[in-house]
Amino acid sequence: MTQKTSQCCYHEDGGFRCTEAAEPSGLCYWHDPDIIKDKPEDIARLEAFARGGGMLRGICLKEAQLPGIDLVRHHQKTGFDLTHAELYRANLCGAHLFNINLQQASLMKADLREANLHCANLVDANLLGAKWNGTKIENMHTGAIIRQEKLAKQAQQQREKALADDYFQQAEEIYRNLRKTAEREGLFSMAGHYLRRELTMRRHQMPKYSFQRIFSKVIDLFCGYGELPARVILFSILLIICCAVLYLFTGLRFDDTVYQFDIHQGLANNLNLFFNCLYYSVVTFTTLGYGDYTPIGYSRLIAAFEAFTGSFTIALFVVVFVKKMTR
């Protein structure tokens, strides 16, 4: 009488369940965390297991030696699903991982040098300490923010400052490594996103309400750390409109006549005056200074501030725009 082989006990709440034969631990060879996959034949075995429809979600490849492995699902729209996989210190040098799904997987200190991760899904993956030299990452997805940044914000909400600072430091390191990799691959738009996140993580580690942190926040809002020229344009438009409203109430002089908001003048006259103030605001912001309108009273202070800010903003826009275009 043959003994019935037990089934791997690995399962997930979403209904995913492994049907492979279990080892004495109750888990199959690929899901057992106590088995180090460092045998020469493990590369071919894992490739066959994947192509045979084996359950790849949650597999444990901790410290596995898998250089050059081919886990590309050829002629399919979706790649192999390694969600929740454990790849701590795994050797994946030169691995072919195109379109692979590593969502919520752990790639901590994994060796990804020269690997192909085009179109890979790394949303919520742990990328701390991963080696990226020569990794191909075009169209790779890491989400708007990485796992460590999410954990840092959660720790902040729970007022665990030391833990939050540690996660922010980890996130900064990960973003920096991703930025460098993107720059080496010529993916400058991607590098720009990682640069902004890197500097944001650095800002969160600064003392609250310190000058350095406030200045860093202003630069982010003003131009996205030099990566978002559209923010400079938006700021310019808002400044011009706000100053025009102030000129409307503080008054301007034209041909020895003072023009100022007066509720008794009617809507049409006040609206016409606002457009004249808007014209003067544009002229002042761009430092053209035609001289037809002149400020009076508090308008002088507003005009001086707008002229100074406008000249600085225009120069900044040129720098940021040229930086983006030359990429």
Side-chain angles (χ1 to χ4, degrees):
M1 184 176 180
T2 58
Q3 185 177 1
K4 185 177 180 180
T5 304
S6 60
Q7 185 175 292
C8 176
C9 63
Y10 179 84
H11 67 280
E12 297 178 11
D13 293 338
F16 297 97
R17 182 179 297 274
C18 181
T19 58
E20 296 297 307
E23 300 288 330
S25 63
L27 294 164
C28 70
Y29 180 82
W30 298 111
H31 286 98
D32 193 337
D34 296 325
I35 301 176
I36 305 300
K37 289 77 175 177
D38 57 358
K39 303 179 183 63
E41 63 271 17
D42 281 335
I43 296 176
R45 285 184 62 188
L46 182 55
E47 290 175 350
F49 178 71
R51 288 180 173 76
M55 170 75 163
L56 295 174
R57 293 176 65 100
I59 63 173
C60 184
L61 300 175
K62 181 177 63 177
E63 299 180 356
Q65 296 298 315
L66 304 169
I69 191 169
D70 184 355
L71 289 179
V72 179
R73 200 175 182 189
H74 299 284
H75 311 300
Q76 299 289 333
K77 291 184 178 180
T78 58
F80 288 119
D81 188 1
L82 274 76
T83 301
H84 302 299
E86 175 59 69
L87 293 153
Y88 174 75
R89 288 187 180 275
N91 180 3
L92 296 168
C93 259
H96 302 281
L97 306 173
F98 174 81
N99 206 26
I100 198 167
N101 184 6
L102 288 166
Q103 191 170 2
Q104 299 181 37
S106 174
L107 288 161
M108 185 175 178
K109 297 185 178 180
D111 191 345
L112 300 169
R113 290 176 297 178
E114 305 297 333
N116 182 354
L117 281 168
H118 287 326
C119 303
N121 181 2
L122 299 179
V123 175
D124 287 334
N126 185 356
L127 305 174
L128 182 64
K131 300 176 182 177
W132 297 95
N133 291 345
T135 310
K136 300 173 180 61
I137 61 170
E138 189 173 355
N139 293 320
M140 184 181 77
H141 304 287
T142 54
I145 61 176
I146 59 175
R147 177 192 288 187
Q148 275 77 1
E149 184 174 350
K150 292 180 180 179
L151 293 173
K153 291 181 177 179
Q154 291 175 7
Q156 265 190 335
Q157 292 174 354
Q158 297 169 2
R159 299 186 178 181
E160 298 181 8
K161 186 179 184 305
L163 182 60
D165 287 344
D166 183 49
Y167 279 129
F168 279 130
Q169 186 175 7
Q170 293 180 25
E172 180 188 355
E173 177 186 335
I174 294 169
Y175 281 129
R176 180 167 52 250
N177 291 334
L178 289 170
R179 171 181 60 82
K180 290 178 179 179
T181 303
E183 288 174 346
R184 285 194 294 265
E185 292 294 304
L187 306 172
F188 295 112
S189 294
M190 182 184 289
H193 168 72
Y194 290 136
L195 173 63
R196 286 189 58 230
R197 300 317 308 162
E198 175 191 348
L199 295 177
T200 301
M201 296 304 97
R202 186 179 302 172
R203 183 181 76 230
H204 281 294
Q205 298 172 62
M206 298 175 183
K208 201 170 184 180
Y209 304 120
S210 65
F211 173 78
Q212 293 89 344
R213 181 162 180 169
I214 294 173
F215 182 74
S216 178
K217 180 64 176 179
V218 169
I219 295 300
D220 185 21
L221 292 174
F222 198 55
C223 62
Y225 293 112
E227 295 297 327
L228 298 174
R231 286 193 178 183
V232 183
I233 297 174
L234 179 61
F235 171 80
S236 302
I237 294 172
L238 291 176
L239 180 63
I240 289 171
I241 293 174
C242 289
C243 288
V245 172
L246 293 176
Y247 294 137
L248 179 66
F249 290 96
T250 55
L252 296 173
R253 177 182 285 114
F254 181 79
D255 287 342
D256 296 327
T257 303
V258 174
Y259 293 91
Q260 194 172 4
F261 176 81
D262 187 347
I263 195 171
H264 301 294
Q265 290 181 356
L267 178 62
N269 289 332
N270 284 320
L271 189 61
N272 182 62
L273 175 59
F274 171 74
F275 284 118
N276 288 331
C277 291
L278 188 63
Y279 156 78
Y280 176 75
S281 184
V282 172
V283 170
T284 304
F285 180 86
T286 55
T287 64
L288 291 174
Y290 288 132
D292 44 0
Y293 284 91
T294 56
I296 59 172
Y298 289 111
S299 293
R300 295 178 179 180
L301 181 62
I302 299 167
F305 171 78
E306 185 179 16
F308 173 80
T309 307
S311 59
F312 172 79
T313 303
I314 293 171
L316 177 64
F317 174 75
V318 171
V319 171
V320 175
F321 184 76
V322 170
K323 177 185 175 184
K324 295 290 288 186
M325 291 300 101
T326 53
R327 285 179 169 181

